């Protein structure tokens, strides 16, 4: 399979020969010798035989990977890998999953192809779409029979599509699908690596005629949520408790929220390529990462003892953290399924077994003082989650009316029919009270988890990311994506809260919140939605509010030490016997004690 041989024989190679050459190249470059030996042993132990052909069946793969029957995803995974096994000739799919075909599958599923092909996640995403999609044969036949489709017909079809979906889900329109026709970059790169580009033929059906059935995608999402925390060689059976009772219902609800990012299931039966390619890079960049650990099981044979070296000295455990709980405690909002949902757009190694509950309104009280006490000493990134139920329009109760009166008149409709909403913010910087300028940076994320999952990334121009202001500041509270409140209330009637184009605002009593998406204005500190190109606003009564610290024992110990230091400082202040009546002498005493002076304030002396 040398370069010279490829150059000489390239024009005469068949697709089968090219696939063979590519499988050899992948096996040599993407696996270590021990992994390749293990892969051979695993395949041999699992394979069925017909005549001289060894191959893997659907139930064999499902049993080996421990895919739970209750999810119903086994056939979907088999459909995927039967397509990927044909790489780079997708037109030959589905294929019998022989040894070389499974090399293609494992290399693509674990992203090891990047050791040979300099292509990114977007290209694998396109492959995944084709592997999951079904094709509308009727549409294909109609196109063959009527290649002269006139402009008038196209306009009618476009108008029908627009009329058929709920306002706000413009990603459902197929107007831009034509832009996705060139989706063979990864296959072309593979062939170029063999100097066999002339063998490539465009035999796949046009991708614009393909869609992923919504029901199939939901089942796959459920599996992806389940496998998201998998570590190297970790058995999926260890997470079986997530597949019963309330946890299973939670898994289904979470999958519905994720599915809602792709398609309005009430109006459309499937997901088109434009929707898939638009949503994943923004809201789900790590959605398929769970496949890496799952399919690496093929590279570890149970017949080989990996715990010892040739000198018989034991190797350290592959992942000593696996015995720690994924989440030390379940929150009112954050459970294992929502944690997996977060890992679809935040790196899993910063989440699983790495979160600590710093503040919960239900335990510590819904007040900014309690929030400050619990959260401000955490010196690592945090995740704030807030859930609630939408208030009526017009508001009914006195408190609802009072909150609504602080806001500009409502001009936008609710985001959805669902009354329950969950929003969140990822902040990489430590929290502190803001006076004139907001905190946060371009890593800050504003997101919605329910009823529709979506991530709103920070702008590099507008820096109104996060403000934390306490009374008597005008319209005190916590705001994300809104201009910093004025330091003092203005004379006369208080002005309305200034709401950013894409913003989340919580009032100072933590009773109410409002999320605004003003698409028309063009965005602010956070970018507009790319899938729901419309204006909406959700005003809600806060049900739960919690903040989670991203970090481990080290960060928790640092927080404990700062708490202890503050307690000692406060005790020292209480023990100082002032009462001399001489303010200047008292101030001098405090300066000698190191309690005021420099950048430290000991409070008012009056």
């Amino acid at each position: 399979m040398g370069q010279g041989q490829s150059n000489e024989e390239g024009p005469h190679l068949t697709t089968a020969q090219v696939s063979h050459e590519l499988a050899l190249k992948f096996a040599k470059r993407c696996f270590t010798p021990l992994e390749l030996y293990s892969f051979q042993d695993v395949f041999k132990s699992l394979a069925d035989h017909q005549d001289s052909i060894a191959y893997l069946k659907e139930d064999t793969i499902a049993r080996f990977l421990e895919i739970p029957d209750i999810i119903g995803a086994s056939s979907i995974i088999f459909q995927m890998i039967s397509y990927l096994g044909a790489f780079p000739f997708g037109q030959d799919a589905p294929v019998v999953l022989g040894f070389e075909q499974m090399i293609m599958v494992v290399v693509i599923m674990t992203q090891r192809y990047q050791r040979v092909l300099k292509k990114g996640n977007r290209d694998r995403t396109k492959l995944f779409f084709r592997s999951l999609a079904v094709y509308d044969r009727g549409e294909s036949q109609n196109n063959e029979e009527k290649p002269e489709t006139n402009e008038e017909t196209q306009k009618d079809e476009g108008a029908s599509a627009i009329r058929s979906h709920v306002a706000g889900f413009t990603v459902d329109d197929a107007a831009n699908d034509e832009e996705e026709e060139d989706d063979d970059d990864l296959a072309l790169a593979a062939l170029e690596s063999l100097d066999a580009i002339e063998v490539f033929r465009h035999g796949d059906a046009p991708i614009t005629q393909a869609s992923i059935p919504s029901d199939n995608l939901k089942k796959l999402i459920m599996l992806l949520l389940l496998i998201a925390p998998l570590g190297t060689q970790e058995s999926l059976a260890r997470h079986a408790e997530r597949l019963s009772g309330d946890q299973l219902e939670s898994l289904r609800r979470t999958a519905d929220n994720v599915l809602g990012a792709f398609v309005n299931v009430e109006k459309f039966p499937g997901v088109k390529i434009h929707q898939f390619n638009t949503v994943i890079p923004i809201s789900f960049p790590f959605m398929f990462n769970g496949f890496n650990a799952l399919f690496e099981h093929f590279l570890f044979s149970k017949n080989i003892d990996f715990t010892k070296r040739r000198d018989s000295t034991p190797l350290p455990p592959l992942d000593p953290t696996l015995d720690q709980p994924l989440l030390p405690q379940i929150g009112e909002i954050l459970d294992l399924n929502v944690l997996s949902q977060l890992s679809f757009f935040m790196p899993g190694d910063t989440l699983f077994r790495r979160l600590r509950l710093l503040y919960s309104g239900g335990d510590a009280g819904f007040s900014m003082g309690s929030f400050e006490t619990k959260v401000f000493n955490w010196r690592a990134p945090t995740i704030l989650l807030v859930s609630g139920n939408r208030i009526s329009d017009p508001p009914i109760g006195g408190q609802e009316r009072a909150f609504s009166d602080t806001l500009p008149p409502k001009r936008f409709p609710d985001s959805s029919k669902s009354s329950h909403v969950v929003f969140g913010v990822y902040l990489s910087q430590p929290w502190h009270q803001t006076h004139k300028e907001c905190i946060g940076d371009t890593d800050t994320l504003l997101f919605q988890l329910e009823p529709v999952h979506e991530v709103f990334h920070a702008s590099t121009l507008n820096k109104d990311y996060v403000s934390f202001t306490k009374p008597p500041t005008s319209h005190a509270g916590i705001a994300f994506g809104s201009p910093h409140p004025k330091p003092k209330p203005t004379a006369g009637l208080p002005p309305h809260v200034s709401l950013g184009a894409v913003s989340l605002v919580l009032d100072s009593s933590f009773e109410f919140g409002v999320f605004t998406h003003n698409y028309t204005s063009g965005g602010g500190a956070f970018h507009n939605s790319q899938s729901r190109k419309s204006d909406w606003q959700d005003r809600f009564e806060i049900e739960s509010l919690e903040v989670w610290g991203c970090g481990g024992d080290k960060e928790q110990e640092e927080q404990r030490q700062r708490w202890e230091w503050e307690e000692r400082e406060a005790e020292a202040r209480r023990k100082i016997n002032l009462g001399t009546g001489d303010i200047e002498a008292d101030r001098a005493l405090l300066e000698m004690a190191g309690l005021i002076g420099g950048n430290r304030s000991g409070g008012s002396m009056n």
Side-chain angles (χ1 to χ4, degrees), residues 152-207:
E152 209 171 279
T153 303
Q154 291 176 348
K155 288 181 179 178
D156 290 343
E157 290 175 351
S160 173
I162 293 173
R163 287 193 301 268
S164 65
H165 71 72
V166 172
F169 282 80
T170 51
V171 73
D172 293 330
D173 296 343
N176 295 324
D177 283 353
E178 289 79 3
E179 298 174 5
E180 308 297 342
E181 282 289 355
D182 184 19
D183 70 324
D184 297 306
D185 294 344
L186 200 59
L188 291 172
L191 294 167
E192 286 174 356
S193 74
L194 296 175
D195 288 337
I197 194 70
E198 62 285 338
V199 183
F200 185 74
R201 65 179 187 271
H202 294 274
D204 277 351
I207 203 167

Side-chain angles (χ1 to χ4, degrees), residues 228-229 286 289 321 343 346-355 550-552:
F286 309 121
N289 280 13
T321 67
S343 76
M346 299 181 199
D349 57 5
T350 66
L351 298 175
F352 298 115
R353 305 177 177 88
R354 297 279 295 171
L355 294 187
C550 302

Side-chain angles (χ1 to χ4, degrees), residues 78 95 152 188 205 279 303 310 321 336 424 442 454 500 547 556 561 577:
F78 190 73
V95 295
E152 209 171 279
L188 291 172
V279 171
N303 297 324
R310 290 183 179 180
T321 67
L336 294 177
T442 53
E454 184 148 14
V547 178
Q556 198 165 25
Q561 291 176 0
N577 184 15

Side-chain angles (χ1 to χ4, degrees), residues 204-263:
D204 277 351
I207 203 167
T208 55
Q209 299 171 9
S211 65
I212 304 174
S214 298
D215 188 54
N216 284 5
L217 186 55
K218 178 181 175 179
K219 293 175 182 177
L220 181 66
I221 291 170
M222 290 178 66
L223 178 63
L224 291 171
L225 290 168
L226 188 65
I227 66 176
L230 277 186
T232 302
Q233 298 189 53
E234 184 181 7
S235 168
L236 187 54
R238 287 175 55 125
H239 303 279
E241 74 279 357
R242 294 174 61 185
L243 296 171
S244 61
D246 292 341
Q247 290 202 48
L248 179 59
E249 289 306 309
S250 171
L251 180 64
R252 291 194 174 107
R253 286 195 305 270
T254 306
D256 283 329
N257 297 333
V258 173
L259 180 62
F262 292 97
V263 65

